[in-house]
């Protein structure tokens, strides 16, 4: 199945994944061997889950989301969302896309679900809680399970303060993941040994994204402060935070 066909089945699904980011997810999943394992942290209504499942029809897919009350994403619920719970919507969307039987949903917090999970991961997609503590735990604990040569994708990189600080602490100078690049806030890391000599350039590449991070924080401040002209001046046309 082509990316265009896969994306068509999710374009109406609510979420924070741009078409370019969906393409990156799709391409990284599509190149996996049969039997590979994909873990997604944070599924919401299944927009990214379905892209991953369609891209890798022979992969095992684990989607972790507690759909917990009080979560930051539950604050933006519409009335209709309140009537139909997010979990039901996730399941219905997967069913409609014909991938429900292929996705193992873990109805739990990522920080709890990681206990006892010992299988190697070929592709890890982190898009769960964005506070520093949880984002750091996800990168450290789930990232440790990514196999040599495997991929870790982190959404809201260089936009969310919590996620960016977690990357700064866990990834900028560490020797386990090489920064590959990003599609807007979707950052890609490859699991490989980074030598001492390679760590400075690896950190520099990530640090080079910090001016864009500062711009994104400014955009958020402008949106919260209802200073839309400032956000527009910074090149941001949407009413929602940059992702
Ligand atoms: C930004 S949304 C995910 C969007 C989804 N990846 C997509 O592209 O459509 C974040 C999701 O993370 C979930 N979440 C929050 N805290 C979590 C945690 N500790 N572990 C796993 N998921 C969590 C929320 O319930 C929410 O559905």
């Amino acid at each position: 199945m082509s990316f265009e066909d896969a994306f068509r089945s999710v374009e109406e699904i609510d979420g924070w994944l741009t078409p370019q980011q969906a393409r990156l997810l799709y391409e990284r999943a599509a190149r996996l061997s049969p039997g590979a394992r994909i873990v997604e942290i944070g599924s919401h209504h299944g927009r990214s889950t379905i892209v991953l499942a369609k891209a890798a029809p022979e992969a095992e897919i684990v989607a972790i989301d507690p759909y917990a009350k009080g979560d930051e994403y539950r604050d933006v619920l519409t009335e209709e969302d309140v009537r139909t719970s997010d979990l039901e919507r996730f399941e219905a969307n997967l069913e409609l896309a014909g991938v429900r039987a292929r996705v193992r949903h873990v109805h739990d917090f990522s920080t709890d679900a990681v206990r006892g999970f010992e299988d190697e991961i070929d592709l890890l997609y982190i898009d769960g809680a964005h506070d520093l503590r949880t984002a750091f735990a996800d990168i450290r604990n789930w990232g440790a399970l990514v196999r040599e040569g495997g991929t870790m994708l982190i959404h809201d990189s260089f936009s969310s303060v919590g996620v960016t600080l977690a990357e700064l602490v866990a990834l900028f100078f560490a020797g386990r993941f090489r920064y590959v690049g990003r599609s807007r806030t979707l950052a890609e890391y490859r699991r490989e040994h980074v030598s001492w000599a390679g760590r400075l350039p690896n950190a520099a590449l990530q640090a080079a994204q910090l001016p864009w991070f500062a711009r994104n924080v400014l955009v958020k401040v402008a949106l919260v402060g209802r200073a839309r002209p400032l956000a527009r001046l910074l090149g941001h046309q949407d009413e929602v935070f940059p992702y």
Side-chain angles (χ1 to χ4, degrees):
M1 173 181 289
S2 68
F3 166 71
E4 285 71 22
D5 286 339
F7 191 70
R8 212 163 292 131
S9 53
V10 302
E11 37 191 9
E12 300 300 324
I13 298 178
D14 180 41
W16 299 262
L17 191 71
T18 70
Q20 292 79 9
Q21 292 170 346
R23 185 184 284 277
L24 182 57
L25 279 189
Y26 180 93
E27 286 175 354
R28 294 302 172 262
R31 68 185 187 186
L32 297 176
S33 312
R37 184 171 297 106
I38 298 174
V39 172
E40 171 185 78
I41 298 172
S43 304
H44 193 57
H45 291 175
R47 189 172 162 94
S48 49
T49 325
I50 293 168
V51 170
L52 291 167
K54 295 238 175 199
E58 294 181 84
E60 175 192 336
I61 299 168
V62 181
I64 303 162
D65 199 310
Y67 294 106
K69 276 193 198 143
D71 178 83
E72 59 188 299
Y73 296 97
R74 309 280 100 75
D75 293 343
V76 293
L77 292 180
T78 63
E79 256 184 56
E80 198 194 340
D81 282 329
V82 176
R83 273 199 302 277
T84 318
S85 82
D86 287 331
L87 173 57
E88 280 171 25
R89 194 170 280 220
F90 167 76
E91 288 174 341
N93 286 337
L94 262 60
E95 187 77 53
L96 200 66
V99 300
R100 186 168 172 194
R102 296 204 26 250
V103 175
R104 177 156 70 89
H105 172 57
V106 178
H107 195 178
D108 203 352
F109 293 91
S110 55
T111 40
D112 293 330
V114 75
R115 289 190 208 113
F117 197 105
E118 285 164 5
D119 303 326
E120 262 197 343
I121 299 169
D122 297 279
L123 173 56
L124 172 64
Y125 175 44
I126 301 180
D127 191 16
H130 290 21
D131 63 284
L132 168 59
R133 186 193 285 252
T134 313
F136 176 74
D138 285 344
I139 293 170
R140 188 189 53 189
N141 300 337
W142 285 99
L145 296 169
V146 176
R147 70 160 168 79
E148 210 50 37
T151 299
M152 176 167 71
L153 293 158
I154 307 176
H155 201 252
D156 295 298
S157 299
F158 311 114
S159 175
S160 153
V161 173
V163 173
T164 308
L165 286 178
E167 288 172 293
L168 178 63
V169 180
L171 294 168
F172 271 37
F173 294 97
R176 276 181 158 187
F177 280 96
R178 188 177 296 282
Y179 177 73
V180 177
R182 64 175 172 86
S183 171
R184 290 173 55 101
T185 74
L186 181 60
E188 178 180 2
Y189 292 86
R190 190 170 51 244
R191 175 83 193 255
E192 64 181 48
H193 174 70
V194 184
S195 66
W196 283 104
R199 289 188 194 191
L200 202 59
N202 195 35
L205 268 179
Q206 294 168 84
Q209 314 310 315
L210 293 179
W212 191 67
F213 168 56
R215 172 262 184 200
N216 285 335
V217 173
L218 252 181
V219 166
K220 290 181 189 186
V221 170
L223 291 177
V224 170
R226 299 186 182 281
R228 298 245 164 78
L230 173 59
R232 275 199 289 276
L233 201 67
L234 292 162
H236 187 80
Q237 309 301 335
D238 289 344
E239 310 266 304
V240 292
F241 284 176
Y243 60 91

